[in-house]
Amino acid sequence: MKKSVFLAVVLLSSMAVPVGTSAGQPADHRVRAGTVDDVREPTQTEWNVTVNETESIPNRLDSSNGFVFVGGASFPSSGPTISPAVHVLVGNNTTNLAASKVVADAEWTEKSPKRFDGRAVGDTLVVRYGRTISAVAKRGGTWKEFDLGTLDGQFEKMFATDSAVFVVSRAGIRKYGVGTKPTELARYDTEYELRSASYTDGTITFETLDDTECQAEGASGCFGGIGDGSRYGALDTDLNERWTKFVADDSVTTEQVGDLLLTRAGNESTFYARDVATGEPAWTWEAPNNDYFAERMHGDVEFWSSHSRAFVVDSDTGKERWSYHSDNVRYESSTRLLQYVDGEYVLRNYSTGEVLARHSGPAGKSKWNHVATMGGGAYLSFTVDPAPTRVFVNTTTGETVATFDPPKRIAAAYEKAKEMPNEVSYLTYTAGTMGPPGSFYMKVGIRGETGTRDLHKESVFIRPTGHEWFEIEAAPSNQKLNIKTPIVQTDGVLLYSAGGQKVDVDGVNRSESVHVRDLNGTYLGQATFYRTDLGKPMSESKEIPGRSLENQYNEKLTRDKYQVEMAANGPTGEVLYIEPYGIDGDERKVLRFVIGDVSPENVTGSVEVTCHDGGPRAVLTNPTSIPLVYSVGGTDEVTLGADESRTIELSGDGEYTFAVTTTSGDPVQLDLTASGDNSVRDGDTVVTNCGRETEQAMADETRSADDAPETGGSVPGFTPLSSVLALLAVVCLRHAVGKR
């Protein structure tokens, strides 16, 4: 009997323990709803960021050993006359002038800037002004000017090796050393007027012409009747002849291709290939007519003429590899060629002619049918059948990486454009890659009615790597989609700038702000940045390494001198950070920064804590248009979609801390409320006391039962609880008697 009574007491006691808590153990305060494992953790990928001034230094001649040489006018203090001079800058910084040297005995005029050329080797610049040759060099810790004489003919070009500078004129070639004292080391005076010269791998090739009506001392070149003929050949770097050839009564054109020199006499169609070192014949090639030119194409030779068939020839044998008509070319690079032939787009290997891809499609004047080049030629996009479908092709492999099937409104605009007088501008697009391989965007414009405010209705379509195409909707704060391209994919998000807004998110006053979306197109908010190279937020780090904040390029660096643009360069997205000084300079620096925070626009999550059946519960509500992640106690997470609500049971009374973030981990404002004996503390914590509420309810129920009138089915003086206890006691007593 004692044993049965004990079991009855244990049974009754267990009824008072909240669900989900073991008897004698505290509640673990964990949310019972399932967690989401695929919530994106915030990352800290750094970008290589290019910083540059928008205007380059005018008349920048060359740079070497950390110095930049600039042609310009001398300062008034240098003499009674303003003369042509070379200014030596330290590190491209126009405020750090190392030296200024007059290089010609002439007066500065408005035409003077066009008369400079220069090549630098080490701490020496060989410069020409008109026909005057000088050197500006640092010797014994001091910058000095050295007079190197004048040219005998019109200046043509300059080139340099590791130890010398060569100056080419119509009268010949001169070599200048850059030793302790810059001086002329050698010269090669040509028999006839020199028409061209080039340098490759230790060999200088040239061609000359006996032009009987040309005045050698003239201010410019000329071309008259041909006298004796032409001479061409090759020199070594000491300007000694290796070999020369003479062509009587005709001109000659030359082109060096690797180890060969290709030549063709003016009125002939035969090209001769010679060994550039010895002049020995290698092979000949017969062109269709005498309008053809030879051009180097990697290791091969291309013979071409305008609006005619071009031929690709093996440089070792002179044998034709393949040919094509130049009028059919829609895209070409050094290795790939896209043709449109007989209703087909054909992508070929430029060297061999091998077909890499073939697609049937329309051609026409419509902008939509134009070929788009993306990623520096890594991808091509063009219209294929059934139009207006577009394919995105990898030019290396010929593989179709993506296919864009436009929605019905764009397909209808494509058909309507055919009827428009200005078909080109009715339906337009901009296409590009977003950085990672296989990521693309399409910004499409459909022209509206003339005179309306909505002149072009723009739509933006996105295809992140590994995703399908989707259309971007306007951000919550915008009435109209206003996305600027390009768009960048990085760290599992999309970044882009939007016009028409004035913000100061980064301490930078600009006309654009950087917006963030996830890879499904959901708008997350605006981005702020953190400079990892300086270890502080962007708003506190406007300086450029190596220059002071107070005086950079003679201007105080203020907020209105910054703007942010997006760029997709290579496999990871880069943010191009531009400083538009609008003054001299071409400094390029690398900064490092990451997304410091994403600030959602008008986003607030809601949590209401109530009591139900003796235990606490939380009603989570997402009233926004983006997914939100709700955290309880810092351990359990629940992700709610837009306009979604969910109720979760909390495990017993205690303290519960709530937090809400976007799917990218950025914090969101929380509206936290509690009812009954539950209370909110510190804005993000609820202290629940649903057990007290239950005890109070039971006490109220007992009092109401005592006060209730007797009924025919009840035992006078017994409450429902006492009735249960009495019934259990009777059962236990009968059991004990039975055993006896």
Side-chain angles (χ1 to χ4, degrees):
M1 179 177 177
K2 291 180 180 180
K3 187 176 183 179
S4 300
V5 172
F6 173 75
L7 290 173
V9 172
V10 171
L11 176 64
L12 290 172
S13 299
S14 67
M15 295 173 62
V17 179
V19 176
T21 306
S22 300
Q25 299 294 326
D28 64 1
H29 306 295
R30 294 184 63 84
V31 182
R32 289 192 222 161
T35 60
V36 178
D37 296 328
D38 58 352
V39 176
R40 192 183 72 85
E41 294 294 331
T43 57
Q44 285 292 301
T45 296
E46 294 181 82
W47 290 301
N48 284 322
V49 183
T50 300
V51 179
N52 69 293
E53 281 71 30
T54 55
E55 291 189 9
S56 61
I57 298 176
N59 244 25
R60 183 182 187 274
L61 302 177
D62 206 351
S63 62
S64 179
N65 282 7
F67 298 105
V68 175
F69 301 93
V70 180
S74 63
F75 298 124
S77 59
S78 63
T81 304
I82 304 299
S83 303
V86 168
H87 306 299
V88 184
L89 310 180
V90 179
N92 282 359
N93 195 332
T94 57
T95 64
N96 195 347
L97 182 66
S100 180
K101 293 297 178 181
V102 174
V103 294
D105 184 15
E107 187 173 352
W108 182 267
T109 69
E110 61 180 12
K111 295 182 179 180
S112 293
K114 298 180 179 180
R115 308 192 72 190
F116 278 101
D117 279 283
R119 292 294 182 273
V121 178
D123 291 344
T124 301
L125 175 80
V126 176
V127 58
R128 77 97 188 179
Y129 177 80
R131 293 190 181 187
T132 300
I133 306 298
S134 302
V136 175
K138 188 177 184 181
R139 298 293 184 266
T142 303
W143 286 95
K144 301 179 180 180
E145 185 270 339
F146 299 86
D147 185 4
L148 300 179
T150 58
L151 299 176
D152 296 328
Q154 177 191 339
F155 170 81
E156 288 294 316
K157 64 189 301 184
M158 301 177 76
F159 56 86
T161 64
D162 292 338
S163 59
V165 175
F166 296 82
V167 179
V168 180
S169 72
R170 290 292 177 96
I173 305 172
R174 297 189 185 187
K175 177 182 180 180
Y176 298 95
V178 293
T180 303
K181 181 179 180 181
T183 185
E184 181 182 317
L185 299 179
R187 69 168 60 187
Y188 180 79
D189 295 325
T190 56
E191 177 184 6
Y192 307 123
E193 184 183 72
L194 191 146
R195 310 296 293 187
S196 70
S198 62
Y199 170 78
T200 305
D201 299 330
T203 299
I204 301 170
T205 58
F206 68 92
E207 64 182 66
T208 65
L209 175 67
D210 181 15
D211 191 341
T212 59
E213 297 182 8
C214 183
Q215 298 179 8
E217 298 298 326
S220 61
C222 57
F223 188 87
I226 297 175
D228 294 340
S230 304
R231 185 173 294 278
Y232 64 93
L235 312 172
D236 62 22
T237 53
D238 289 326
L239 301 185
N240 298 313
E241 283 188 357
R242 287 184 172 176
W243 59 271
T244 66
K245 299 293 180 182
F246 179 72
V247 177
D249 304 323
D250 206 349
S251 62
V252 66
T253 58
T254 63
E255 179 72 23
Q256 186 173 347
V257 179
D259 296 332
L260 298 175
L261 183 67
L262 295 170
T263 66
R264 179 181 64 81
N267 294 321
E268 295 184 7
S269 58
T270 303
F271 284 85
Y272 296 88
R274 297 181 180 274
D275 186 299
V276 74
T278 66
E280 293 299 315
W283 45 264
T284 61
W285 186 81
E286 192 70 28
N289 54 59
N290 61 5
D291 290 332
Y292 274 74
F293 298 89
E295 186 173 332
R296 182 175 182 174
M297 190 184 70
H298 284 282
D300 297 315
V301 183
E302 182 177 17
F303 296 98
W304 61 274
S305 179
S306 299
H307 305 291
S308 300
R309 181 162 293 277
F311 300 85
V312 179
V313 173
D314 188 322
S315 61
D316 292 330
T317 64
K319 301 297 183 182
E320 181 183 322
R321 291 185 182 272
W322 71 291
S323 65
Y324 64 93
H325 202 288
S326 59
D327 288 346
N328 296 332
V329 175
R330 297 295 180 267
Y331 165 82
E332 64 178 314
S333 69
S334 59
T335 60
R336 294 294 182 265
L337 191 78
L338 181 69
Q339 301 170 274
Y340 185 75
V341 182
D342 298 330
E344 285 189 322
Y345 288 95
V346 183
L347 180 66
R348 294 180 182 270
N349 182 306
Y350 207 154
S351 178
T352 65
E354 175 191 2
V355 175
L356 302 177
R358 189 187 297 271
H359 297 270
S360 62
K365 63 180 181 179
S366 169
K367 172 67 188 301
W368 188 267
N369 291 337
H370 290 184
V371 175
T373 304
M374 295 161 291
Y379 303 96
L380 297 177
S381 176
F382 44 87
T383 308
V384 298
D385 294 328
T389 303
R390 294 187 67 90
V391 292
F392 291 74
V393 177
N394 183 316
T395 56
T396 301
T397 64
E399 173 193 6
T400 299
V401 180
T403 301
F404 177 65
D405 293 316
K408 291 182 178 180
R409 69 179 186 277
I410 295 178
Y414 179 81
E415 295 300 323
K416 185 177 180 180
K418 298 177 182 179
E419 306 171 0
M420 303 295 290
N422 190 0
E423 179 186 354
V424 174
S425 62
Y426 181 74
L427 177 64
T428 62
Y429 78 93
T430 302
T433 179
M434 299 188 295
S439 62
F440 307 105
Y441 67 84
M442 285 278 294
K443 187 175 183 180
V444 181
I446 302 176
R447 190 172 181 84
E449 298 295 331
T450 303
T452 63
R453 294 179 60 187
D454 191 12
L455 192 58
H456 276 89
K457 299 177 181 178
E458 291 185 339
S459 305
V460 178
F461 301 88
I462 301 294
R463 184 195 183 272
T465 302
H467 289 64
E468 297 299 322
W469 287 96
F470 59 83
E471 184 173 0
I472 288 185
E473 302 294 337
S477 61
N478 291 341
Q479 296 293 328
K480 180 182 178 182
L481 189 67
N482 194 6
I483 293 178
K484 292 188 175 182
T485 55
I487 300 169
V488 174
Q489 176 186 335
T490 183
D491 281 351
V493 295
L494 303 173
L495 304 177
Y496 62 92
S497 59
Q501 300 182 47
K502 282 270 188 183
V503 296
D504 194 17
V505 177
D506 302 320
V508 176
N509 189 18
R510 56 179 182 258
S511 60
E512 303 108 359
S513 56
V514 177
H515 295 261
V516 186
R517 294 178 184 259
D518 66 20
L519 297 186
N520 295 315
T522 302
Y523 185 76
L524 301 180
Q526 296 183 17
T528 58
F529 298 106
Y530 185 87
R531 279 278 292 275
T532 55
D533 61 330
L534 296 178
K536 51 187 175 181
M538 184 72 78
S539 58
E540 302 173 10
S541 53
K542 303 182 186 67
E543 66 268 27
I544 301 173
R547 280 185 270 164
S548 66
L549 183 63
E550 289 74 23
N551 191 339
Q552 299 194 28
Y553 280 40
N554 290 324
E555 290 193 36
K556 188 175 181 181
L557 195 58
T558 57
R559 289 182 176 182
D560 60 346
K561 292 182 171 46
Y562 285 83
Q563 67 182 34
V564 172
E565 293 183 356
M566 310 305 299
N569 300 322
T572 58
E574 296 184 353
V575 177
L576 186 64
Y577 193 61
I578 298 178
E579 297 171 11
Y581 290 95
I583 56 176
D584 300 349
D586 61 352
E587 178 82 356
R588 300 182 70 83
K589 293 287 185 180
V590 175
L591 306 185
R592 308 279 295 180
F593 68 90
V594 300
I595 293 181
D597 191 15
V598 177
S599 304
E601 298 179 8
N602 305 320
V603 175
T604 301
S606 173
V607 175
E608 181 184 9
V609 178
T610 62
C611 294
H612 180 74
D613 291 339
R617 65 166 40 172
V619 180
L620 315 179
T621 303
N622 177 9
T624 73
S625 60
I626 66 175
L628 296 179
V629 180
Y630 290 72
S631 172
V632 180
T635 55
D636 295 291
E637 292 182 345
V638 178
T639 299
L640 298 184
D643 296 322
E644 184 181 354
S645 181
R646 190 180 307 178
T647 300
I648 59 173
E649 303 294 336
L650 305 178
S651 299
D653 285 333
E655 293 185 2
Y656 294 89
T657 300
F658 294 86
V660 185
T661 66
T662 63
T663 54
S664 58
D666 299 294
V668 171
Q669 185 176 348
L670 172 63
D671 181 12
L672 181 60
T673 60
S675 62
D677 288 329
N678 305 317
S679 60
V680 177
R681 188 177 65 193
D682 299 329
D684 62 355
T685 302
V686 171
V687 180
T688 65
N689 198 3
C690 293
R692 176 183 175 185
E693 186 173 307
T694 302
E695 293 174 1
Q696 183 65 37
M698 293 179 64
D700 293 342
E701 183 180 355
T702 301
R703 283 194 298 271
S704 63
D706 291 340
D707 296 338
E710 296 182 2
T711 61
S714 64
V715 181
F718 281 82
T719 65
L721 179 60
S722 60
S723 300
V724 174
L725 292 173
L727 179 61
L728 288 174
V730 171
V731 172
C732 293
L733 181 61
R734 289 188 60 186
H735 179 71
V737 172
K739 288 192 69 175
R740 288 186 179 181

